Amino acid sequence: MLSHDQDTFFLFCGIGAVLVLASAIGFLLKLFKGNTPVIANLNARINAWWCMVIVIGIAFWLGNTAVIVLFFIISFFALREFITITPTTSGDYYALVFAFYAALPLQYILVGMDWYGMYTIFIPVYVFLLLPMFASLSGTTKNFLERTAKVQWGLMITVYCISCVPALLTLNIKGFEGRNLLLIAFLVIVVQISDVLQYVFGKLFGKHKIAPNLSPSKTIEGFVGGIVSASLIGACLFWITPFSFVEAALIALMITLLGFMGGLVMSSIKRDCGIKDWGHMIEGHGGMLDRLDSVCFAAPIFFHVVRYWWG
Amino acid sequence: MLAKICSALLIGFAKALTGARCVWKGCHPEPKQRIYYANHSSHADFVLIWAALPPKLRQQTRPVAASDYWSRTKLHRFMIHQMFRGVLVDRVRKEGSNPLEPMLNALGQGDSLIIFPEGTRNREEELLPFKSGLYNLAIAYPDVEIVPVWLDNLKRVMPKGHVIPLPVLCTLTVGEPIQVEENETRHEFLDRARASLIALGKGE
């Protein structure tokens, strides 16, 4: 067994152990406190975590291509949720056909081809110019700017930003060859553990709301507890990354802060559209975007920071 | 066999594209004999209802479709007869024939139906007035449950005049069954059926 295989193996064993512990706690809570809505939701969340970890685990085991395909599918679901929630009109038809059937697959093909110079500018530059061309073909001018912005935003958040996760596979880091999957694991674990810990600290100690208009569940106690503990966990994971302990702590702090702000921004969009969840795909969590809002904001910055200083 | 494979593929495709989420708000997915009636905006409407039903219910539920449209080509005929087991009705009224007869036959055999009482695909935002077929069926088979189904977003999947479907999440909200009440006129019943479908669409 190669050393990185061993690291990945230990990592998944660790995640498995945490989930077993979580399931046990969930089971005991249900047993002693009864199946209240909060506990039922907690258990639904834990079960969904099992599914997510298993799916990601299988993709890791199958290799790089499977990981790219997995994130392509995730992007598809996320873009579908985004377009469903932000009302588009029949005038956007060609722009949407282009977004779903051309821009989305092309972005992932470019990532798969390792064409850095293209996949970093394809959506922000080329698609940015192409979409309004398609939209103007329909001849509808009502809310033109708003409509075009919605489709462009949807593609940026759900396709460009999410594709930065598998794009980590294309980085050439000295002394880290063949271990890039672990960078993805690091990013995903830190972002998600931060979400979970913010939720846990918020539920246990939360008193002072940060942005009551946006997200009633976000509290200062949850924020501080979640960010600090997730950064520490990130630091302790330095052995799977090319970073030192301190570097890993700082990068984890950056990831968690971005993730937190991403959650707030995506909440603002939801509030604007008058909805609570992006979808119903993952039981206990809402839609794909409810789970990924923080990843969307953390992934591109993490990608570029790692590439700039380590790549 | 071929029809079964094609059906499975089509159901998979419809679900992958639209999510085809069924929200049972006013009743449960039980194998009772029912007439599901829904708002009509695209050719994909009944396919989505049919795909979103649990398999057990789907087997006993037949869409009602226009015979002129579905008899055009071999492929149309294969789809409507073999895949959907559709009930074809004449939109043009002929002398001495009862246009409801195919539907009455299907109900007589114990099947459930999917019908669109607006009678045509609707481009407007508002629901059109209902045709009287729904009332006549309800009178002929008073034990069959009349169930409203509100289709959301189908218009966005395939806007007018386009063929490539867009992936947009669609929700089917299934409401509470209604029946013809004592002394209720045709007009009153149809208005009430329409009102309960509209209420369902507004999330009431």
Side-chain angles (χ1 to χ4, degrees):
Chain A
M1 203 189 258
L2 294 165
S3 71
H4 68 269
D5 282 341
Q6 226 163 33
D7 286 350
T8 315
F9 179 73
F10 283 134
L11 193 64
F12 274 90
C13 286
I15 297 168
V18 171
L19 282 177
V20 168
L21 182 69
S23 290
I25 293 172
F27 177 75
L28 290 175
L29 280 174
K30 190 177 157 187
L31 203 66
F32 291 111
K33 296 217 159 177
N35 206 8
T36 64
V38 175
I39 291 172
N41 176 267
L42 179 75
N43 282 318
R45 277 174 190 248
I46 294 169
N47 290 342
W49 278 118
W50 275 108
C51 295
M52 289 186 255
V53 167
I54 289 167
V55 169
I56 294 178
I58 292 173
F60 268 44
W61 178 65
L62 289 172
N64 288 7
T65 312
V67 172
I68 294 174
V69 170
L70 173 68
F71 280 92
F72 164 75
I73 295 169
I74 290 174
S75 271
F76 169 78
F77 287 138
L79 181 61
R80 189 174 67 170
E81 282 173 5
F82 196 97
I83 296 301
T84 303
I85 297 309
T86 55
T88 52
T89 68
S90 54
D92 302 312
Y93 180 76
Y94 294 110
L96 288 173
V97 168
F98 175 76
F100 274 108
Y101 298 110
L104 167 64
L106 259 174
Q107 172 71 7
Y108 280 88
I109 290 170
L110 294 172
V111 169
M113 286 166 68
D114 192 0
W115 190 356
Y116 174 79
M118 195 60 186
Y119 70 67
T120 46
I121 58 163
F122 174 60
I123 290 176
V125 179
Y126 288 87
V127 174
F128 174 74
L129 296 174
L130 274 168
L131 280 176
M133 295 185 203
F134 285 114
S136 58
L137 280 180
S138 76
T140 348
T141 52
K142 198 168 179 243
N143 297 333
F144 186 84
L145 184 58
E146 197 188 323
R147 280 166 34 213
T148 324
K150 277 176 190 164
V151 185
Q152 172 67 14
W153 245 81
L155 279 171
M156 277 305 288
I157 292 288
T158 65
V159 181
Y160 183 83
C161 291
I162 293 178
S163 77
C164 286
V165 181
L168 289 165
L169 294 172
T170 66
L171 293 178
N172 289 313
I173 301 167
K174 239 181 160 189
F176 197 66
E177 290 83 2
R179 287 167 59 97
N180 286 22
L181 275 173
L182 289 168
L183 275 179
I184 295 184
F186 177 78
L187 170 68
V188 173
I189 290 172
V190 171
V191 172
Q192 300 296 353
I193 210 96
S194 160
D195 281 0
V196 171
L197 290 170
Q198 284 175 44
Y199 169 85
V200 171
F201 275 94
K203 278 264 178 270
L204 292 178
F205 311 108
K207 284 213 172 63
H208 305 87
K209 294 189 162 63
I210 290 184
N213 289 332
L214 275 179
S215 181
S217 59
K218 283 195 165 55
T219 59
I220 296 178
E221 293 79 3
F223 169 75
V224 174
I227 300 285
V228 170
S229 52
S231 302
L232 274 177
I233 291 174
C236 295
L237 284 174
F238 79 96
W239 53 278
I240 64 165
T241 69
F243 323 131
S244 70
F245 182 84
V246 176
E247 286 165 350
L250 288 174
I251 287 185
L253 179 65
M254 177 194 79
I255 292 174
T256 52
L257 287 174
L258 281 163
F260 174 81
M261 293 312 295
L264 279 188
V265 171
M266 298 300 274
S267 277
S268 306
I269 299 176
K270 285 193 282 189
R271 290 278 147 165
D272 184 27
C273 299
I275 48 145
K276 203 180 137 278
D277 288 327
W278 286 99
H280 306 269
M281 205 169 179
I282 314 172
E283 204 177 342
H285 295 259
M288 188 60 92
L289 270 176
D290 293 291
R291 196 64 268 122
L292 281 181
D293 48 9
S294 30
V295 176
C296 293
F297 277 68
I301 311 292
F302 176 69
F303 172 80
H304 286 289
V305 164
V306 175
R307 187 172 186 279
Y308 189 78
W309 274 292
W310 282 271
Chain B
M1 189 62 195
L2 179 66
K4 273 202 177 138
I5 295 168
C6 291
S7 301
L9 285 175
L10 187 68
I11 291 166
F13 179 69
K15 285 191 172 167
L17 213 61
T18 67
R21 197 169 69 97
C22 218
V23 181
W24 296 85
K25 214 171 171 185
C27 61
H28 298 285
E30 297 160 294
K32 286 184 181 166
Q33 194 178 12
R34 283 170 175 163
I35 298 174
Y36 300 94
Y37 71 98
N39 52 319
H40 200 16
S41 56
S42 87
H43 282 307
D45 286 350
F46 79 70
V47 179
L48 199 74
I49 299 181
W50 186 76
L53 286 174
K56 221 177 171 180
L57 269 62
R58 192 188 306 134
Q59 279 163 18
Q60 293 179 6
T61 307
R62 305 173 62 183
V64 175
S67 102
D68 51 304
Y69 178 83
W70 287 98
S71 304
R72 286 186 307 172
T73 68
K74 221 174 175 178
L75 179 68
H76 281 90
R77 289 194 291 272
F78 170 76
M79 286 174 77
I80 200 67
H81 292 302
Q82 307 291 319
M83 286 168 63
F84 305 129
R85 288 202 315 128
V87 177
L88 292 187
V89 290
D90 282 322
R91 280 194 284 201
V92 201
R93 196 163 205 157
K94 282 186 209 128
E95 279 295 312
S97 78
N98 178 6
L100 285 184
E101 207 177 298
M103 295 188 240
L104 292 168
N105 288 343
L107 288 174
Q109 288 162 18
D111 287 328
S112 295
L113 296 178
I114 300 170
I115 71 171
F116 300 98
E118 290 172 276
T120 180
R121 281 185 293 152
N122 180 3
R123 306 284 186 217
E124 312 301 320
E125 288 304 314
E126 283 250 323
L127 214 54
L128 300 173
F130 282 8
K131 307 249 159 142
S132 24
L134 187 66
Y135 173 79
N136 296 333
L137 296 174
I139 290 292
Y141 286 91
D143 292 335
V144 175
E145 288 186 350
I146 316 283
V147 183
V149 180
W150 180 264
L151 296 175
D152 236 352
N153 267 347
L154 252 287
K155 246 178 237 189
R156 294 176 66 197
V157 173
M158 244 196 265
K160 184 182 180 175
H162 296 298
V163 283
I164 306 172
L166 290 174
V168 179
L169 292 169
C170 294
T171 311
L172 299 83
T173 316
V174 188
E176 208 176 321
I178 55 169
Q179 261 157 340
V180 183
E181 276 164 16
E182 234 174 289
N183 301 325
E184 196 173 26
T185 66
R186 168 189 307 262
H187 193 71
E188 284 165 352
F189 173 76
L190 291 172
D191 271 355
R192 190 160 61 89
R194 184 167 170 268
S196 56
L197 187 56
I198 292 172
L200 205 55
K202 286 184 182 151
E204 285 163 18

